Amino acid sequence: MSPEALGKRPPREGLLEVDDLFVSYGPIAALKGVTLSVGQGEVVALIGANGAGKTSTLRAVSGLVKPAKGAVRFKGQALTGLKANQVVAKGLAHAPEGRGIFPNLTVQENLDLGAWLRKDGDAIAGDLEKCFSLFPRLKERRAQLAGTLSGGEQQMLAISRALMSRPTLLLLDEPSLGLAPQVTQTIFRILKDVNAQGMSILLVEQNAHLALGLAHWAYVLETGTLVLQGTGQELLASEAIRKAYLGE
Amino acid sequence: MKSFLPVVAATVVLAVLQLLLGTSEYFVYLTSLVGVNVVLAVSLNIINGMTGQFSIGHAGFMAVGAYVAGTTSLILKDDQLSFLPPAVSDQLFLLLALLLGGGTAGLFGFLVGLPSLRLRGDYLAIVTLGFGEIIRVVIQNSDGLSKSLGAVPGLSLVGSFVGKFGGALGVSGVPQRSTFFMVWFWVFVLVLLARRLADSSHGRWLKAIREDEVAAEAMGVDTTSYKVRAFVVSSFFAGIAGGLFAHFVPIINPGSFTFVKSMEVVVMIVAGGLGSTTGAIVAAVFLTLLPEGLRSLFLQLGGGDASLAQKVDQVRMPIYGVLLVLIMLTRSQGLFGTHEAWDLWKRRKPAEAKA
Ligand SMILES: Nc1ncnc2c1ncn2[C@@H]1O[C@H](COP(=O)(O)OP(=O)(O)OP(=O)(O)O)[C@@H](O)[C@H]1O
Ligand SMILES: [Mg+2]
């Protein structure tokens, strides 16, 4: 059951398919049948109010919670039933909400952990340099404990750490959380660059304006159900979205 | 080859010390006590400090090691490898008993850890607390257990082994084969392992689990498997400590492995700084020597009257409690935090190397 669509989605090779996903925490039903997809090289945004179930969707995709019902397929393979650590190995990286960095490890150690499943040592060093060129501040602070970084730097670290696993799909949960507008702008500009180099992204955001500006396609989630989908531009222009999520 | 060098050096140093000081009974007794507590503290620190799980049943694993190793030696008491000098043969039999004791404790660690480490939070604390008590109560009633096991076909051997545990009375007559050398050899092996572990990538995953288990999982770390492994290693060494203990005290009984013993080890690692091997060692040494020092002080004060000295055991836990409260008030991360003595030296080296 797909929600109404605004605009037309350019066809792409499929990457992630989520089919009729249900997630419950005890008696609380967080997701009640979510169906969405992410194509190769696409940025897909998932927006919605607090408690709508955005984080739950990402957690179900990356195996951190077990869905009560529904299927997740990645590159045509079923992910359902795999544990989080097995999902990472398939090429999915999750930068969790609230960043989830390791505060008492150094920046460098955090990044090493991101690459921990990889065996290609030389390529890891290259990717590390790439991360440092995206976020030069991290390079200066590589020996510093991650917990002593500013909020924005921690977010940069969380994204870099996710990139270090060299994923096919990046799951980002509220990268703008608690950051000053300029820092958020910087991060979104970098996400755009990362996507331009071919990375597919599933982005969860409160900041609908920024998310829709970046997204090729977006879904609107309301209390566990998708209510609307469309191209980022069409949703930005839509009356309902402007009222509900952009505060206009 | 490089990794064998410290082992060889330590063996030589320990052997020399053994030859020089191994005949002084009090020295050997005191250093053995200290060594056993260091092994307990450093091994508990692997799971509680490095991995951030909370086990409070270390005495249970120590008991398993003590009873299995002690009973093994009791059975093999009169056996000798005739082609070796008796002292060397004794040490080899001791080593065998220790490995059996440690191995069994490690197996118990696996059985206890696998279900409880799958879950997050306080489950491990509750389960290990229960395990420690169950082990103690089971040993206390070993006679009944021995009979029931004996009745099961195929387990009669286990039954008669358990029958030697002696219930509440305990096991006496275990050959006193423990030596200064053997105790400190194990201290050395464990400290070397703990240090290597902390510096390895394996240790980094453990640290990541301690910091944020969900994030570690999201990085692809198989958290359950790493936690179980750390727990098995920790239990193995608790078993070794118990095995050593069984070979230098006149009698082992369930009273030596109560919850109080578990808490004593917890106090050591918390006071030393959770996560710091150095801290665990220093606190274990200090908290073992403190009551012994008080005991001989009181013995002198009482003019050789032992009744005052015996009171030390009664006031020991309250003193530990006060000490712990003081440390937490003034230095909540423990004496060493997560720092290590050898880091001071290491940190200087790479800085020089880069310059
Ligand atoms: N571990 C949990 N236990 C119980 N209920 C939970 C748990 N996690 C989430 N929920 C509930 O599930 C619903 C969806 O939560 P979720 O975290 O997915 O929302 P969200 O869209 O990410 O919200 P936010 O924008 O505030 O991050 C909420 O009602 C929340 O209270
Ligand atoms: Mg959320």
Side-chain angles (χ1 to χ4, degrees):
Chain A
M1 185 200 53
S2 281
E4 177 196 350
L6 297 180
K8 234 181 96 57
R9 189 175 190 171
R12 284 179 193 259
E13 201 181 323
L15 185 61
L16 177 78
E17 275 140 51
V18 173
D19 192 21
D20 201 25
L21 199 64
F22 283 75
V23 168
S24 301
Y25 302 100
I28 300 167
L31 295 186
K32 304 171 228 171
V34 167
T35 299
L36 56 81
S37 64
V38 179
Q40 200 77 250
E42 201 173 33
V43 178
V44 172
L46 185 59
I47 63 171
N50 288 120
K54 305 180 296 292
T55 298
S56 302
T57 308
L58 291 194
R59 290 170 62 90
V61 168
S62 63
L64 288 169
V65 296
K66 232 200 200 119
K69 195 176 152 229
V72 178
R73 270 186 308 279
F74 185 62
K75 299 182 198 162
Q77 267 185 315
L79 292 186
T80 334
L82 293 188
K83 292 202 298 180
N85 58 295
Q86 297 165 316
V87 170
V88 184
K90 303 269 178 216
L92 248 140
H94 185 175
E97 189 173 24
R99 307 184 192 110
I101 55 154
F102 304 109
N104 291 312
L105 300 186
T106 63
V107 168
Q108 180 74 54
E109 286 176 326
N110 268 273
L111 293 172
D112 289 346
L113 268 165
W116 97 286
L117 280 176
R118 293 172 54 180
K119 308 255 182 301
D120 48 343
D122 302 341
I124 292 177
D127 285 356
L128 191 66
E129 281 315 311
K130 217 183 270 173
C131 280
F132 284 152
S133 69
L134 286 175
F135 301 107
R137 283 194 204 201
L138 291 183
K139 185 165 191 169
E140 297 160 24
R141 290 164 175 75
R142 62 201 292 176
Q144 194 172 320
L145 290 186
T148 63
L149 296 178
S150 79
E153 290 158 359
Q154 291 187 15
Q155 189 63 60
M156 296 171 192
L157 177 60
I159 294 171
S160 305
R161 194 185 58 182
L163 288 173
M164 284 304 290
S165 72
R166 199 176 257 199
T168 323
L169 175 65
L170 189 57
L171 305 177
L172 294 175
D173 199 343
E174 307 219 20
S176 76
L177 194 72
L179 302 186
Q182 294 101 312
V183 181
T184 311
Q185 298 273 357
T186 312
I187 286 181
F188 271 73
R189 207 183 54 237
I190 289 166
L191 288 180
K192 199 175 174 127
D193 289 350
V194 169
N195 170 250
Q197 289 166 30
M199 179 75 64
S200 316
I201 300 176
L202 176 56
L203 171 70
V204 157
E205 256 300 338
Q206 286 281 340
N207 189 330
H209 201 87
L210 274 172
L212 294 177
L214 181 68
H216 301 108
W217 193 253
Y219 296 91
V220 181
L221 193 59
E222 244 171 46
T223 57
T225 317
L226 292 174
V227 292
L228 200 60
Q229 59 178 324
T231 62
Q233 295 312 318
E234 296 277 353
L235 286 181
L236 265 180
S238 116
E239 186 79 18
I241 293 294
R242 300 189 76 88
K243 274 215 180 94
Y245 298 103
L246 301 173
E248 288 171 19
Chain B
M1 242 11 254
K2 217 174 130 196
S3 59
F4 279 109
L5 210 63
V7 180
V8 172
T11 308
V12 171
V13 169
L14 288 176
V16 169
L17 282 174
Q18 167 76 31
L19 288 176
L20 291 178
L21 301 161
T23 47
S24 155
E25 230 168 84
Y26 187 62
F27 171 82
V28 171
Y29 173 75
L30 206 58
T31 50
S32 298
L33 215 54
V34 169
V36 162
N37 280 336
V38 168
V39 171
L40 286 172
V42 172
S43 61
L44 186 66
N45 184 52
I46 291 178
I47 187 80
N48 286 23
M50 292 185 191
T51 321
Q53 310 301 305
F54 214 71
S55 165
I56 48 177
H58 223 42
F61 298 105
M62 184 191 179
V64 170
Y67 274 88
V68 171
T71 309
T72 303
S73 285
L74 193 64
I75 294 172
L76 301 177
K77 202 176 186 156
D78 301 320
D79 290 300
Q80 281 279 335
L81 297 171
S82 53
F83 53 92
L84 286 171
V88 176
S89 160
D90 277 359
Q91 291 302 293
L92 286 179
F93 273 109
L94 172 61
L95 190 62
L96 173 75
L98 290 176
L99 290 174
L100 271 177
T104 313
L107 180 70
F108 274 88
F110 180 75
L111 295 177
V112 169
L114 193 62
S116 48
L117 288 164
R118 273 177 192 287
L119 307 164
R120 299 218 164 84
D122 311 322
Y123 290 98
L124 186 70
I126 297 164
V127 173
T128 48
L129 169 67
F131 168 75
E133 288 305 287
I134 290 170
I135 282 291
R136 197 170 56 77
V137 172
V138 165
I139 293 174
Q140 220 147 35
N141 299 293
S142 61
D143 293 339
L145 179 69
S146 158
K147 284 203 194 82
S148 341
L149 282 174
V152 181
L155 286 182
S156 60
L157 218 62
V158 181
S160 71
F161 190 85
V162 171
K164 297 201 192 309
F165 288 3
L169 290 175
V171 183
S172 52
V174 173
Q176 307 274 290
R177 284 174 177 162
S178 173
T179 52
F180 170 84
F181 175 85
M182 189 56 95
V183 172
W184 286 85
F185 176 76
W186 281 103
V187 170
F188 175 79
V189 167
L190 172 59
V191 171
L192 190 71
L193 180 107
R195 188 189 155 175
R196 290 266 158 90
L197 180 65
D199 286 344
S200 70
S201 49
H202 209 108
R204 205 163 322 126
W205 320 141
L206 295 183
K207 242 161 76 174
I209 292 172
R210 174 182 76 197
E211 296 276 299
D212 189 334
E213 204 170 324
V214 176
E217 185 94 4
M219 293 296 85
V221 180
D222 184 352
T223 54
T224 305
S225 142
Y226 275 90
K227 286 191 291 184
V228 170
R229 275 186 248 179
F231 194 63
V232 168
V233 169
S234 173
S235 310
F236 172 83
F237 280 99
I240 294 285
L244 289 165
F245 181 75
H247 288 83
F248 68 81
V249 293
I251 183 166
I252 49 169
N253 59 38
S256 311
F257 312 105
T258 58
F259 180 62
V260 173
K261 181 67 195 176
S262 293
M263 280 327 281
E264 205 183 297
V265 189
V266 172
V267 168
M268 286 170 184
I269 59 172
V270 173
L274 276 174
S276 165
T277 299
T278 313
I281 298 171
V282 169
V285 171
F286 179 72
L287 290 179
T288 315
L289 292 181
L290 181 72
E292 294 303 319
L294 285 178
R295 217 190 304 272
S296 49
L297 179 74
F298 284 6
L299 203 59
Q300 272 172 12
L301 285 180
D305 175 10
S307 68
L308 194 60
Q310 273 162 6
K311 294 227 163 52
V312 170
D313 276 329
Q314 289 162 20
V315 298
R316 200 167 50 140
M317 280 322 273
I319 291 180
Y320 281 12
V322 171
L323 219 64
L324 194 60
V325 169
L326 285 179
I327 290 177
M328 289 300 108
L329 284 176
T330 51
R331 210 175 144 75
S332 61
Q333 72 276 43
L335 292 174
F336 285 79
T338 54
H339 300 290
E340 301 290 2
W342 41 81
D343 281 352
L344 292 171
W345 173 59
K346 198 179 65 186
R347 206 162 287 153
R348 216 168 297 142
K349 270 208 309 201
E352 281 164 10
K354 254 178 213 158

